Amino acid sequence: MEPVKLVAGVLDKQIVDSNKRHAGKVDGLVIVLRKGKPPRVGYIEIGTAVLARRFSKRLERWVIAIGRRFGVRQEPRYRVPWSKVKKVAIDVQLDFDASDTPALAWERWLRDHVVGKAPFAR
Amino acid sequence: MKNKFVQIALGILTGIGGYLEVGSIATSAEAGASFGYSLIWAIVLGTICLIFLIEMSGRLAATSHHTIADAVRERFGFRFAVIPSSAELIVNLLVLAAEIGGVCLALKLVTGIEVRVWAAPVVLFLWFALWVGTLDVIENSTSILGLVTVAFVVAAVKMHPDYAQVARSIVPSLPHHDPAHYWFTAVSILGATISPYMFVFYSSGAVEERWSVKDLGMNRATAAIGMTFGAVMASAVLVVSAHVFHPLHITVDRYEQIAVVLTPALHKYGLPLFAISLGVCCFGACVEVALATTYGIAQTFGWMWGEDKKPAERTRFSVTYTLIILVAMVVLLTGIDPLKLTVMAMALTALILPLVVFPFVVLLNDETYVHGHRNGPIGNAVVIVTIFLASIIAIVTIPLQIVGD
């Protein structure tokens, strides 16, 4: 892989899965520190809580609490291992289908409970 | 693949349709009634700025394959992107409420039934069009029906305007009376003309249609010709209003007054033509504002977006526009005077222009996005000077207007 700039070139980019489905943005990046070895990019993170953390810890706590009460995601943040990133170009391309992952949990929930029940939706 | 000529023609038609809406009609009519021809410069200045901005949003899409919202978040980060996005969301909700009000008003002119009664049926119809329709169908039908607005040009010509005086009014002048109202009206015209929703909408369409560098010439032609036609229509509204209301010292306080503006020139056809023009233009604008606002949110959060897929395949997208038009309906139903709502929404648009436009202009000067198709100094200067000027006038005159009321 060519060298990529993490903040300028990956953070806040569109994420696209193997079916070209938009699966959120790179809301956060996780760097893993390793003893005696250089740090490594571990995961990309997706989720409102990750975004809230970029403003303040308090906002993050609120978002997590609201998410527990009303959300449909199991976890406040969804981590995708960097090894699943196929390519970083205009978008960050993943090498798997995201439709059953937490990244598209809201899309699924709305389809099953709201939109799918409305007329002319399919 | 559509052929190039059809594509440009449709682009131009959409441009005209996108330009003339309740904001331009109301602000131009008000300007003509209160100040004769003298505010034509605001339409001209706004349009020059708009042409540059529309061209830039098409160029950004063609060279970087990014929509504006995508690129702003990527380049400036989420923490920054939230600020222009929220400002735009709030203003767009007011603009959408005004446009829905415009459709309701057109129906009132034809039927005599009150605006508030029409709000729910109009919103339901709008929602249904978005839910079931595809963008091509909605856009092309409103654009072609929108040609009825030529009625304003016909009426303006029939009133034998003083063309030399009209031409002189292209140069800005100082007011002879009522300066606060003059500048407020000027800034409302600028806000009505330079509508951020238009270029958000345009850039999303360009990305969806996968424009490339080959489309840059077509993009330039569409922006320049389409918007110029739009400006001619808006100027015609101003001229007609100047002839009908200004000599009688009638200031426009209610939409019902504007409605008779075509009657002296077009007689019994005047009122129905005004109603159809208003209804069609505002409905087209409703579609654009509702979608542009939803595009902005969906692209900021990275959801699937696009009007041409079934709602079940774009659930967050379709639920969001549903909520947006419901909120706009509630704003309209609070009973705010529809004309005041429109003019204020346009002035607020002008106020937030620097927030929305400045980051966008930075992107158009960033090689990593536009790859050798950067802005020239003239484009940069025109846009930056106009938006800051508009915003400063808005900061000064909006409080005066509120106190004045």
Side-chain angles (χ1 to χ4, degrees):
Chain A
M1 232 183 207
E2 282 188 30
V4 283
K5 290 180 181 163
L6 286 178
V7 173
V10 180
L11 190 64
D12 287 317
K13 265 208 162 146
Q14 180 67 52
I15 299 170
V16 177
D17 80 351
S18 56
N19 291 322
K20 301 217 159 107
R21 235 181 246 121
H22 286 197
K25 299 260 174 171
V26 181
D27 295 326
L29 284 161
V30 180
I31 310 285
V32 182
L33 300 176
R34 299 174 300 172
K35 246 191 191 151
K37 287 187 203 165
R40 188 173 59 84
V41 182
Y43 307 90
I44 55 181
E45 283 191 315
I46 306 169
T48 327
V50 184
L51 284 177
R53 180 69 184 84
R54 290 166 71 178
F55 287 90
S56 74
K57 275 189 177 162
R58 179 185 289 180
L59 190 63
E60 182 194 25
R61 280 199 299 276
W62 284 359
V63 167
I64 291 174
I66 295 168
R68 288 239 168 78
R69 179 76 185 75
F70 301 104
V72 300
R73 284 183 177 149
Q74 299 289 318
E75 291 297 321
R77 43 182 94 69
Y78 171 48
R79 288 184 167 179
V80 179
W82 184 258
S83 58
K84 298 283 183 191
V85 173
K86 194 171 70 182
K87 197 177 166 194
V88 177
I90 292 167
D91 306 311
V92 173
Q93 299 169 14
L94 303 180
D95 72 353
F96 63 94
D97 181 352
S99 35
D100 293 323
T101 68
L104 293 172
W106 273 106
E107 287 280 340
R108 280 198 307 281
W109 189 87
L110 287 171
R111 188 189 61 213
D112 297 342
H113 296 88
V114 184
V115 178
K117 293 188 173 165
F120 310 107
R122 287 176 198 269
Chain B
M1 197 68 199
K2 287 175 211 157
N3 85 45
K4 209 146 219 177
F5 178 76
V6 175
Q7 209 179 349
I8 293 181
L10 279 175
I12 292 169
L13 268 182
T14 316
I16 302 172
Y19 190 107
L20 206 64
E21 37 71 62
V22 71
S24 300
I25 296 176
T27 55
S28 302
E30 188 153 352
S34 300
F35 303 102
Y37 298 157
S38 50
L39 275 168
I40 285 179
W41 65 265
I43 297 180
V44 175
L45 178 65
T47 306
I48 295 171
C49 184
L50 180 67
I51 290 173
F52 276 108
L53 285 168
I54 293 276
E55 190 278 329
M56 287 177 198
S57 54
R59 179 151 43 92
L60 179 70
T63 53
S64 75
H65 308 287
H66 279 71
T67 63
I68 297 172
D70 277 324
V72 168
R73 177 165 172 190
E74 196 180 301
R75 173 70 167 71
F76 299 94
F78 183 74
R79 283 184 59 151
F80 177 83
V82 164
I83 303 165
S85 304
S86 320
E88 233 179 305
L89 174 63
I90 294 165
V91 171
N92 281 359
L93 284 170
L94 296 178
V95 174
L96 182 58
E99 304 293 350
I100 295 171
V103 181
C104 296
L105 192 88
L107 290 162
K108 181 191 169 182
L109 293 173
V110 179
T111 61
I113 299 170
E114 276 307 312
V115 165
R116 300 182 69 162
V117 180
W118 281 114
V122 166
V123 160
L124 191 66
F125 183 71
L126 172 64
W127 174 80
F128 189 74
L130 293 172
W131 195 261
V132 178
T134 60
L135 201 51
D136 271 1
V137 173
I138 305 173
E139 230 182 7
N140 296 343
S141 49
T142 51
S143 299
I144 290 162
L145 286 172
L147 286 178
V148 73
T149 50
V150 171
F152 286 107
V153 179
V154 173
V157 171
K158 279 185 84 172
M159 299 204 123
H160 306 291
D162 179 350
Y163 290 103
Q165 184 68 34
V166 170
R168 275 196 293 278
S169 307
I170 291 173
V171 180
S173 57
L174 293 173
H176 300 298
H177 61 94
D178 215 353
H181 185 54
Y182 179 88
W183 291 111
F184 181 75
T185 311
V187 90
S188 313
I189 291 179
L190 289 175
T193 309
I194 314 169
S195 317
Y197 76 80
M198 276 178 77
F199 39 93
V200 168
F201 186 78
Y202 189 78
S203 86
S204 301
V207 166
E208 238 181 337
E209 287 174 13
R210 298 174 183 283
W211 285 13
S212 67
V213 178
K214 281 187 300 208
D215 296 305
L216 287 177
M218 188 256 325
N219 172 47
R220 221 169 288 144
T222 314
I225 305 171
M227 297 306 125
T228 304
F229 270 114
V232 170
M233 304 285 185
S235 307
V237 176
L238 187 149
V239 166
V240 177
S241 174
H243 279 262
V244 176
F245 301 122
H246 191 56
L248 303 172
H249 301 287
I250 298 174
T251 50
V252 173
D253 303 315
R254 293 175 53 75
Y255 268 122
E256 285 76 359
Q257 290 174 295
I258 307 177
V260 300
V261 77
L262 290 176
T263 309
L266 305 177
H267 314 292
K268 66 174 180 181
Y269 301 108
L271 194 67
L273 279 173
F274 180 86
I276 297 170
S277 303
L278 183 71
V280 171
C281 288
C282 293
F283 187 76
C286 283
V287 170
E288 288 199 10
V289 183
L291 286 179
T293 313
T294 315
Y295 288 152
I297 295 170
Q299 291 158 5
T300 299
F301 290 103
W303 305 341
M304 289 182 276
W305 57 272
E307 167 59 10
D308 292 344
K309 287 275 167 59
K310 291 282 180 198
E313 296 170 47
R314 301 272 184 277
T315 58
R316 285 183 284 194
F317 179 79
S318 44
V319 167
T320 303
Y321 67 62
T322 306
L323 293 175
I324 283 171
I325 56 183
L326 282 175
V327 173
M329 181 181 79
V330 171
V331 172
L332 184 66
L333 286 177
T334 52
I336 309 175
D337 175 64
L339 182 61
K340 286 211 178 93
L341 171 67
T342 307
V343 178
M344 196 48 84
M346 300 307 142
L348 288 173
T349 303
L351 180 72
I352 67 159
L353 277 177
L355 267 182
V356 180
V357 173
F358 192 68
F360 171 56
V361 174
V362 171
L363 287 167
L364 266 301
N365 286 286
D366 185 336
E367 280 291 339
T368 48
Y369 285 91
V370 289
H371 309 291
H373 297 277
R374 281 172 51 178
N375 273 359
I378 298 174
N380 279 336
V382 168
V383 168
I384 290 171
V385 170
T386 313
I387 57 166
F388 279 98
L389 199 72
S391 186
I392 291 166
I393 307 175
I395 291 170
V396 177
T397 58
I398 290 174
L400 288 175
Q401 188 67 20
I402 293 170
V403 173
D405 283 347

